Amino acid sequence: MATKSKPRYAAIRFNDRPIKNVLADPESFVLEPGENTADYEEKPDRRLDELYPDIADYRVVSTDRFIGEADKAIEEQRLWSRTWLLAGFSSDLKEKGDWFKFDIGPQSLIVVRSSPGDVSAFYNVCKHRGNELVQDDFGSGFDCFTCIVHSWRYSLKGKNVRVTDRESFSREALGENLDLTPVSVREWNGMVFVNLSEDPMPFEEYYGDLLPMLASYRIDEMFVIKELTVEIPANWKTMYSVFNETYHAHATHPQAKLMFDDHFVQYDFYPNGHNRNLFALGVVSERWPDQRFINAALAFMMDEVGLKASRFKGDATQVRRAMQKAKRENEPFGMSYEGFTDNQLTDDWNPSLFPNVTLNMHPEGILVMRFRPHPTDPEKGFWDNIVLARKLADGRRPPAYMGADPDADVTGETRPAREHADVADPPSSELLIQDLDNMVTFHRGLKSKGLKGKIVFSEQERRIQQFLAELDLYLNNEK
């Protein structure tokens, strides 16, 4: 277990002062926009209880939702086979013949740039006897896919172009459809999505009103600078829930109280299970004893954008807006912020894409968290940690809070390999290691008889409530 950070922050973990006017109804809070705003910053006009009239049923739930084995087969049939899933990014499919492998539970897919303007996706399995065609994570420059066992061959469009020793097969065998089985795929705004359904919900309908906000970050200009996959001894739903609320931040990430507001957060909900949190960076949490002193964390963030705390005329309450102004006027990271709202320049915009992705979005780049089920064991899952960045002028690096490794190539010239790490020693940032610890201890604790089979959620955990409500629509075959 990676618990090095727990004793490090023991002195400040529970030093909170009581928050005045705690948000009993977090949905009522709206983060004040700056002078530069946009329609996609506005709060949606429907509340969670309008989208899910039975949402109150998800304030107390059974622990079996997260540890039981019964749901695994139903999830594979009714959830993973019917939802749009983020498979990867266009930057990994630059040229014809570039491809990557995407695994979801027991299903493995090949996603390939099959022509200059087209992406195709197929099940990663030879139609002869079921051997997987590719085992690597990525490939480039391919003109076909050839099975290593008997050399059957398929075009980039999935068509069978070679049956070795065709004459030795009977008419019945050759009468079968021997082309690769295709999967619906959609390349949009630099992201590549797949859907295993034979009749999927239209992509634009599935993501709906969330698309304008996602489009504003111009992900098609970004590329991967870090990718890490860790196998976790926890069910994917437990893992996903750890990243789907900010209520944990003050205790799990006590160091973050110095630079972001963990309580007064904007909660927005959308149809089809999607949601977002907008939370302010460059401010001090109201839990922190001193609200006005410019602490070391704020001073570091100010320094990154060219502001010197020693010369700053205001106090901590004025830092966030000053940082927004400095970034827009001085472009300290070597990029223009035209088209972004003021709040986007500092704040963490954190959408969750149902069923298994969260994004921490910034103009300079995005942290992508994806949670996937284990192919055979419901007691395990995969946590994908992907950092996207755009090319900044003069080789400048993105802000430190994005989590880029010190030696990461931020130019886009070299695509890093996907790292596979053990849960005991993951090469990741301190904040994420703290969350990783929670995934493991949550899963263990959910089996305790002390819970008597039930757990409860606060209204700060409404995103998890929505997740479970939407999940039930699929598991109950209502979608």
Side-chain angles (χ1 to χ4, degrees):
M1 279 288 295
T3 57
K4 294 177 290 187
S5 63
K6 290 187 175 178
R8 180 177 178 187
Y9 295 109
I12 64 172
R13 189 174 297 278
F14 303 123
N15 69 332
D16 301 344
R17 70 174 192 175
I19 293 177
K20 296 179 180 179
N21 303 317
V22 170
L23 290 175
D25 176 19
E27 277 193 81
S28 66
F29 180 77
V30 178
L31 196 61
E32 181 182 5
E35 293 182 8
N36 295 280
T37 186
D39 290 344
Y40 56 77
E41 190 169 19
E42 296 177 359
K43 195 171 190 64
D45 59 2
R46 281 188 288 181
R47 289 175 56 91
L48 185 60
D49 55 9
E50 295 177 86
L51 294 171
Y52 303 87
D54 62 347
I55 196 64
D57 296 342
Y58 294 89
R59 292 169 179 157
V60 181
V61 303
S62 168
T63 55
D64 286 344
R65 299 302 311 267
F66 297 94
I67 61 174
E69 296 187 16
D71 285 348
K72 180 171 173 52
I74 301 176
E75 288 172 2
E76 291 172 3
Q77 177 186 1
R78 297 181 182 174
L79 176 72
W80 302 115
S81 294
R82 295 165 63 183
T83 49
W84 284 99
L85 304 171
L86 177 61
F89 302 94
S90 300
S91 60
D92 289 329
L93 304 175
K94 294 179 180 178
E95 305 292 339
K96 179 180 177 181
D98 292 352
W99 60 268
F100 60 79
K101 180 167 69 74
F102 174 61
D103 295 340
I104 188 71
Q107 304 303 325
S108 181
L109 307 178
I110 302 171
V111 183
V112 60
R113 176 73 65 189
S114 51
S115 63
D118 194 23
V119 173
S120 300
F122 314 96
Y123 286 96
N124 176 26
V125 61
C126 178
K127 293 292 282 286
H128 176 206
R129 284 170 51 188
N131 183 55
E132 289 189 341
L133 288 170
V134 301
Q135 289 77 44
D136 294 335
D137 292 325
F138 305 94
S140 61
F142 277 48
D143 56 13
C144 64
F145 296 100
T146 303
C147 180
I148 197 171
V149 181
H150 300 100
S151 68
W152 280 37
R153 186 171 297 170
Y154 302 88
S155 75
L156 299 182
K157 295 285 188 180
K159 184 173 180 57
N160 184 303
V161 295
R162 171 175 170 169
V163 174
T164 308
D165 300 339
R166 175 180 285 270
E167 295 78 7
S168 66
F169 286 84
S170 69
R171 181 179 302 174
E172 291 82 4
L174 295 178
E176 294 293 311
N177 181 353
L178 300 180
D179 296 338
L180 298 182
T181 302
V183 170
S184 294
V185 59
R186 178 65 185 273
E187 183 179 24
W188 180 85
N189 190 39
M191 298 181 282
V192 182
F193 298 83
V194 296
N195 193 309
L196 277 59
S197 172
E198 294 183 2
D199 184 25
M201 179 186 295
F203 178 84
E204 284 78 8
E205 178 183 347
Y206 185 75
Y207 286 111
D209 292 341
L210 205 58
L211 291 177
M213 184 204 73
L214 296 175
S216 72
Y217 284 88
R218 305 193 301 273
I219 303 172
D220 56 325
E221 299 173 3
M222 298 183 185
F223 45 84
V224 177
I225 62 172
K226 174 181 179 178
E227 183 168 3
L228 168 69
T229 293
V230 186
E231 183 177 306
I232 308 290
N235 185 273
W236 72 275
K237 296 185 290 293
T238 299
M239 296 158 54
Y240 183 52
S241 299
V242 167
F243 289 89
N244 222 0
E245 45 92 353
T246 56
Y247 183 38
H248 72 285
H250 68 284
T252 299
H253 313 300
Q255 71 276 29
K257 291 181 288 192
L258 294 162
M259 61 180 185
F260 95 104
D261 192 332
D262 59 285
H263 184 75
F264 292 94
V265 175
Q266 181 171 327
Y267 293 74
D268 296 331
F269 297 94
Y270 301 86
N272 300 317
H274 314 303
N275 56 58
R276 71 177 182 181
N277 274 172
L278 309 182
F279 54 88
L281 290 177
V283 300
V284 181
S285 168
E286 287 206 17
R287 302 181 193 274
W288 190 252
D290 190 335
Q291 295 291 297
R292 295 190 173 274
F293 175 70
I294 297 178
N295 58 62
L298 284 184
F300 178 83
M301 296 181 72
M302 294 173 69
D303 187 65
E304 279 196 310
V305 301
L307 296 174
K308 297 299 181 183
S310 59
R311 302 175 187 171
F312 191 63
K313 302 297 184 182
D315 61 22
T317 63
Q318 298 166 294
V319 166
R320 174 169 165 263
R321 291 299 185 199
M323 287 177 58
Q324 293 171 358
K325 182 179 179 182
K327 289 183 77 171
R328 193 174 296 281
E329 293 180 354
N330 302 327
E331 301 180 1
F333 294 104
M335 65 168 288
S336 169
Y337 292 96
E338 183 178 358
F340 291 100
T341 73
D342 286 346
N343 287 357
Q344 282 178 299
L345 269 58
T346 53
D347 298 348
D348 193 316
W349 286 27
N350 175 218
S352 288
L353 311 182
F354 184 84
N356 68 327
V357 169
T358 70
L359 306 170
N360 294 90
M361 308 188 78
H362 304 277
E364 301 86 5
I366 298 170
L367 172 62
V368 182
M369 311 294 284
R370 184 174 59 192
F371 307 91
R372 296 180 291 119
H374 192 276
T376 60
D377 190 349
E379 301 274 332
K380 298 178 181 178
F382 297 104
W383 168 63
D384 299 325
N385 168 13
I386 306 167
V387 180
L388 302 175
R390 67 176 75 250
K391 190 169 184 177
L392 304 175
D394 304 321
R396 298 184 209 185
R397 300 185 64 80
Y401 52 69
M402 280 184 50
D405 291 335
D407 59 349
D409 181 358
V410 296
T411 68
E413 296 178 5
T414 305
R415 205 286 186 194
R418 179 181 296 156
E419 298 178 75
H420 296 267
D422 183 84
V423 67
D425 189 27
S428 190
S429 72
E430 184 175 60
L431 283 169
L432 297 180
I433 286 175
Q434 291 168 330
D435 287 313
L436 189 154
D437 288 346
N438 289 350
M439 297 183 214
V440 178
T441 54
F442 265 132
H443 188 77
R444 289 205 307 254
L446 286 168
K447 297 182 179 182
S448 172
K449 291 182 180 180
L451 293 174
K452 299 186 182 302
K454 299 288 185 180
I455 55 175
V456 301
F457 292 113
S458 75
E459 296 311 282
Q460 294 181 69
E461 297 161 302
R462 288 170 74 81
R463 301 172 84 186
I464 304 176
Q465 296 177 31
Q466 183 197 22
F467 164 66
L468 294 174
E470 183 72 15
L471 179 61
D472 276 351
L473 295 178
Y474 283 89
L475 301 190
N476 296 331
N477 215 20
E478 298 176 33
K479 275 207 165 186

